[in-house]
Amino acid sequence: HGWGGSSKDCGRTCTSANDRGYATISLTGIAQGSESNSWNGFGSTQSNTGAASIEALTAGSDNCDVAAEDDRTCNLNAFEVGCYADCNGSCLDGCWWTTCKDSVQQAVNVLEEFLEEYCVDMDRIYAVGCSNGGMFTYELAHDERSAKYLAGISTQVGLPHYGYNRGPHEDYKIHHLGFWGSRDGIVPHEESASSSGCTVPCRTSEGMFFYTSSDCTMTKWANDLRLPNLDNNPSDYGIPSYNTKLRECKAYTTSSSADEDAVVVGCIFNGGHVCNTSYMNAVTLDFFDAHHRVGGPVNPPGPTDPHVASA
């Protein structure tokens, strides 16, 4: 779910997956009191502004100082969410906007408890997330504790913060599917200037936070997977004729057949910051059906049955 959401937000995504024969686990992020439920990772609690940077960052849009923006994930004049209570006062600047708790361990604990209770096809475990939850899928794919279980991720309007585009864990070949809105003003997917007027390659900004562009996120993922056509433009990935919302889907592939063998796919849709739509769900489930775990599964905590899958 997105920042401030809950497990109930899975909605049509979970229903669509259940209809395809997938079991689903929907979690709620961490918060205390009046704080918004959130997921930690992908740079959400790692921004660090040195004292020398503050004057330059607050000087206004006519003073672009790229060096002053190093090591931070937002502008100092951005809206400050406030340091979460569980960060215990450790926030180094106003860019920290989620819980500081270990969200990966939270997810792994629930997954492993599920695996102990149910028979699961260990080659077909996937993570899906929206906005803050979509950003968190990148953390799940990178962290060895969770990456070892994953066959693939589907991120909806989520991208890692700039400087935290780390790709999948080096020991696991994890498939990637992303959806980003052409008019998304919250997590823009294309390179853009910050409010101070600075433009940095691969960096996007909606005026406050800095994210990694979708192109650079996909390229990093494809490079880490050592895909053969990385030096070329990504190929077209087939969109079903009934899916009129998706403007384009591009893929880095393991062969010349993008539809069958794509492992890194990114889709741009005509819209803003929205998730959990029927057109995203249909493509996601088709993608998951086509791409199982590569390299063999880890040993599960409990018994397995190849006829039952988890998403």
Side-chain angles (χ1 to χ4, degrees):
H1 65 74
W3 189 74
S6 73
S7 60
K8 296 179 181 179
D9 295 347
C10 188
R12 286 181 293 182
T13 299
C14 280
T15 301
S16 299
N18 294 155
D19 290 344
R20 289 276 193 106
Y22 289 86
T24 56
I25 306 171
S26 183
L27 307 180
T28 296
I30 299 171
Q32 297 182 30
S34 61
E35 295 172 344
S36 295
N37 298 325
S38 64
W39 309 102
N40 181 23
F42 51 87
S44 66
T45 57
Q46 293 173 282
S47 185
N48 181 12
T49 299
S53 303
I54 295 177
E55 181 178 355
L57 281 164
T58 56
S61 59
D62 294 330
N63 184 23
C64 173
D65 185 349
V66 173
E69 294 181 346
D70 283 350
D71 300 321
R72 60 180 297 105
T73 58
C74 78
N75 294 311
L76 268 186
N77 58 354
F79 168 74
E80 293 190 15
V81 172
C83 193
Y84 272 58
D86 58 35
C87 295
N88 299 314
S90 63
C91 301
L92 298 178
D93 59 28
C95 302
W96 293 39
W97 61 281
T98 69
T99 176
C100 285
K101 291 290 188 180
D102 190 343
S103 296
V104 170
Q105 192 61 57
Q106 176 195 1
V108 170
N109 287 347
V110 174
L111 174 61
E112 291 184 344
E113 182 177 345
F114 186 90
L115 295 176
E116 289 176 353
E117 296 293 328
Y118 298 95
C119 295
V120 172
D121 184 341
M122 297 297 291
D123 285 332
R124 299 182 64 194
I125 299 177
Y126 307 91
V128 181
C130 164
S131 191
N132 179 203
M135 300 171 192
F136 182 52
T137 62
Y138 287 107
E139 192 71 20
L140 291 172
H142 181 75
D143 192 304
E144 197 273 340
R145 293 171 296 170
S146 46
K148 65 184 180 182
Y149 290 112
L150 293 178
I153 67 167
S154 175
T155 177
Q156 301 178 3
V157 296
L159 288 163
H161 276 298
Y162 180 75
Y164 298 91
N165 179 27
R166 297 176 290 207
H169 189 278
E170 62 183 3
D171 291 338
Y172 305 100
K173 187 175 182 179
I174 300 173
H175 305 300
H176 171 284
L177 174 63
F179 298 93
W180 303 289
S182 61
R183 300 188 300 275
D184 192 338
I186 296 177
V187 184
H189 77 96
E190 293 182 303
E191 183 180 305
S192 55
S194 68
S195 62
S196 61
C198 295
T199 300
V200 177
C202 291
R203 194 179 74 176
T204 81
S205 176
E206 92 298 18
M208 295 189 297
F209 290 98
F210 303 150
Y211 299 103
T212 308
S213 70
S214 59
D215 283 347
C216 290
T217 298
M218 287 181 62
T219 300
K220 167 64 174 173
W221 203 285
N223 183 62
D224 287 355
L225 294 179
R226 299 177 178 84
L227 298 184
N229 69 337
L230 181 60
D231 293 333
N232 304 319
N233 292 324
S235 56
D236 288 329
Y237 185 78
I239 303 174
S241 59
Y242 61 81
N243 202 324
T244 59
K245 287 288 187 178
L246 293 181
R247 191 174 73 188
E248 64 176 9
C249 291
K250 297 293 186 180
Y252 288 108
T253 69
T254 55
S255 76
S256 59
S257 177
D259 292 336
E260 295 179 2
D261 297 318
V263 291
V264 180
V265 176
C267 297
I268 307 302
F269 62 89
N270 296 313
H273 196 73
V274 296
C275 301
N276 200 11
T277 65
S278 58
Y279 56 88
M280 293 181 193
N281 294 336
V283 174
T284 292
L285 292 171
D286 287 346
F287 185 80
F288 288 169
D289 285 348
H291 301 294
H292 299 180
R293 181 179 176 83
V294 176
V298 296
N299 293 324
T304 63
D305 183 334
H307 300 294
V308 183
S310 172

